[in-house]
Amino acid sequence: MKNLKILIVTPGLNKPMGPFVKNYIDKLPFEKVVLFGGFVPYFYLNTSLKRQKIIRYLFTVLSLMNQKRLEILIKKRFKKILLKEKIDCVVADYLNTGAAVKSICEELNIPIVANVLGYEINKKDVVDGNKKNYESLANYKSYVIPVAKNMIPKLKNFGFEDEQIIYSPIGAKEDFFKINPTYDAYQFLAIGRFTATKAPQISIKAFAKVLQKFPQAKLIFAGDGELFEECKTLIEELQIGDRVELVGWINQEDQLQLFRKSSVFIQHSVTAANGDAEGTPVVIIEASAAGLPVVSTKHSGIIDTVIDGKTGFLVDEHDLDSMAEKMIFLLENQNVMREFGDYGKEFIHQNFSLNKHLDTVTQTILKAVAP
């Protein structure tokens, strides 16, 4: 197993992106090469921004600023890397990344394992633009790892067979299971990008309703994104600025501290107007692992990881009033809060630990390279 060499490919333009890639780099038991820089990535891990700019400039000049020629040059570079590194298996971050490199891998008879994370199988324009590529990938030596069960029928529609589809969200690190929340803190916590699929405005409005009954309650909201300023304005309009703290982007140590100091985790995920939707939000798994009851929505992979009425509450998308009611109920019933937290910690540990996910990915890679 140690002699196997995998290529991890991520579309992050300037650096590798996301928790999947970081954990795969750190923990998968194979020799690893990492590339980033687009859907057919061609920059090695730790390539400086200066060098990226130089290479991009050279490729643009060599292609005579023709997009098709540029794509051919990038694919040639990708193929050269596969040959030079003697890669046994390509592990792709996002289904459309796997589909983009399929033709090159097929030339060299290299199997592909692709994560299916969310937008690439939900967002209508992305799905429409990649349909043929997905179907082509399904007919190749490939395995796909969707993070939510509701993705499985969509993958089957592209032609992936049952044996090619391995359901596995990313899972929580052991650090999260060691946390004990502060259930009597009256503090709600939300962490995530301020985007349409996470509908942060609804969480803020629901919290405003909670304040009518519990004026001592507090909401900490971590993250950034295109709706950040809109949410700041909303908080001012609702006149709840003294009870809501927007802390911006945080690192994992900050996240662990916030979990310790909070009582309940909230997230109001919805399907956006363009069809975009969550996969399984990693932070919800981490919150449950930390013993926080979760109030969220009946959305995508959330329904697989939060047991309604046992580890938290799930409400319909856009149901602001029900969300506020469940938040109030938990503050009124701290014994239920603790029961949900304890049950959630055990449920996640049994089903959604990071070690379990990494073992699943390891076994899938071994299956992909088997003769």
Side-chain angles (χ1 to χ4, degrees):
M1 182 160 56
K2 298 259 185 209
N3 294 328
L4 217 59
K5 195 171 189 181
I6 65 171
L7 176 66
I8 299 171
V9 292
T10 170
L13 276 181
N14 301 121
K15 61 181 180 180
M17 57 194 289
F20 280 85
V21 170
K22 182 173 184 346
N23 283 300
Y24 290 1
I25 293 169
D26 292 345
K27 297 181 183 295
L28 283 180
F30 308 111
E31 190 177 349
K32 285 152 287 203
V33 178
V34 182
L35 294 181
F36 67 92
F39 289 109
V40 180
Y42 57 105
F43 294 126
Y44 280 97
L45 185 65
N46 298 324
T47 302
S48 68
L49 274 172
K50 182 179 179 182
R51 182 160 175 77
Q52 289 176 46
K53 285 178 184 175
I54 292 169
I55 293 172
R56 282 199 175 103
Y57 175 75
L58 286 173
F59 273 42
T60 302
V61 170
L62 289 169
S63 68
L64 304 176
M65 302 186 77
N66 179 284
Q67 185 61 33
K68 284 193 174 179
R69 286 200 195 100
L70 179 59
E71 288 172 6
I72 290 167
L73 282 174
I74 289 172
K75 285 184 175 181
K76 279 183 178 177
R77 178 177 167 94
F78 184 79
K79 183 178 178 181
K80 191 179 287 187
I81 291 170
L82 286 173
L83 288 167
K84 175 190 164 191
E85 300 290 351
K86 298 178 180 174
I87 297 300
D88 297 300
C89 182
V90 168
V91 179
D93 204 29
Y94 296 95
L95 185 63
N96 42 352
T97 311
V101 301
K102 179 258 175 181
S103 61
I104 311 159
C105 291
E106 189 172 26
E107 280 184 53
L108 304 176
N109 198 32
I110 297 172
I112 297 170
V113 173
N115 286 324
V116 189
L117 302 181
Y119 90 99
E120 80 272 40
I121 200 168
N122 292 318
K123 200 161 176 270
K124 191 175 184 305
D125 60 333
V126 177
V127 173
D128 290 346
N130 281 282
K131 185 173 183 292
K132 287 183 179 177
N133 293 334
Y134 292 168
E135 290 170 348
S136 177
L137 182 62
N139 287 318
Y140 181 57
K141 296 194 308 185
S142 65
Y143 288 87
V144 286
I145 304 178
V147 299
K149 288 179 181 175
N150 72 333
M151 295 174 172
I152 294 173
K154 297 177 183 181
L155 289 165
K156 287 184 177 180
N157 285 339
F158 294 125
F160 289 98
E161 303 289 343
D162 285 332
E163 58 269 21
Q164 290 176 278
I165 303 170
I166 316 291
Y167 163 68
S168 182
I170 188 170
K173 292 180 180 177
E174 286 303 311
D175 291 351
F176 292 96
F177 295 104
K178 299 171 186 173
I179 290 174
N180 293 307
T182 309
Y183 294 118
D184 59 0
Y186 292 87
Q187 180 164 296
F188 294 94
L189 175 64
I191 301 174
R193 282 188 55 75
F194 284 65
T195 60
T197 56
K198 294 186 187 291
Q201 310 96 316
I202 298 179
S203 293
I204 291 166
K205 288 175 183 176
F207 176 71
K209 287 180 174 288
V210 172
L211 286 175
Q212 294 170 16
K213 182 138 192 186
F214 289 96
Q216 73 272 41
K218 186 169 185 180
L219 170 61
I220 306 291
F221 214 135
D224 52 24
E226 60 267 26
L227 298 177
F228 188 85
E229 291 302 320
E230 182 180 323
C231 287
K232 273 179 70 176
T233 302
L234 174 62
I235 291 163
E236 290 169 11
E237 290 172 354
L238 293 170
Q239 298 182 342
I240 57 173
D242 60 330
R243 305 313 304 161
V244 181
E245 189 177 350
L246 303 181
V247 297
W249 182 86
I250 58 171
N251 60 30
Q252 187 171 295
E253 188 49 47
D254 293 334
Q255 182 184 349
L256 291 168
Q257 288 293 341
L258 285 174
F259 279 164
R260 286 188 189 96
K261 294 175 181 176
S262 299
S263 313
V264 179
F265 187 85
I266 64 171
Q267 182 167 313
H268 199 100
S269 296
V270 301
T271 302
N274 61 7
D276 196 8
E278 300 262 32
T280 295
V282 178
V283 70
I284 285 183
I285 292 176
E286 292 169 341
S288 275
L292 286 166
V294 174
V295 180
S296 191
T297 49
K298 298 168 185 172
H299 175 88
S300 196
I302 296 171
I303 63 174
D304 305 322
T305 53
V306 177
I307 305 174
D308 190 23
K310 285 195 172 181
T311 70
F313 290 118
L314 298 178
V315 304
D316 291 333
E317 293 183 22
H318 303 285
D319 190 345
L320 162 66
D321 292 335
S322 289
M323 186 177 191
E325 285 169 14
K326 299 305 184 186
M327 292 163 70
I328 289 168
F329 175 85
L330 287 171
L331 291 187
E332 289 175 333
N333 297 275
Q334 286 186 16
N335 60 319
V336 176
M337 213 186 283
R338 291 174 189 277
E339 287 170 12
F340 281 11
D342 290 344
Y343 195 91
K345 191 183 283 278
E346 182 60 28
F347 174 69
I348 296 298
H349 197 269
Q350 291 295 324
N351 298 280
F352 300 107
S353 71
L354 177 60
N355 289 339
K356 189 173 192 297
H357 173 72
L358 290 169
D359 184 59
T360 298
V361 176
T362 298
Q363 295 307 316
T364 303
I365 292 169
L366 292 173
K367 196 186 296 185
V369 301

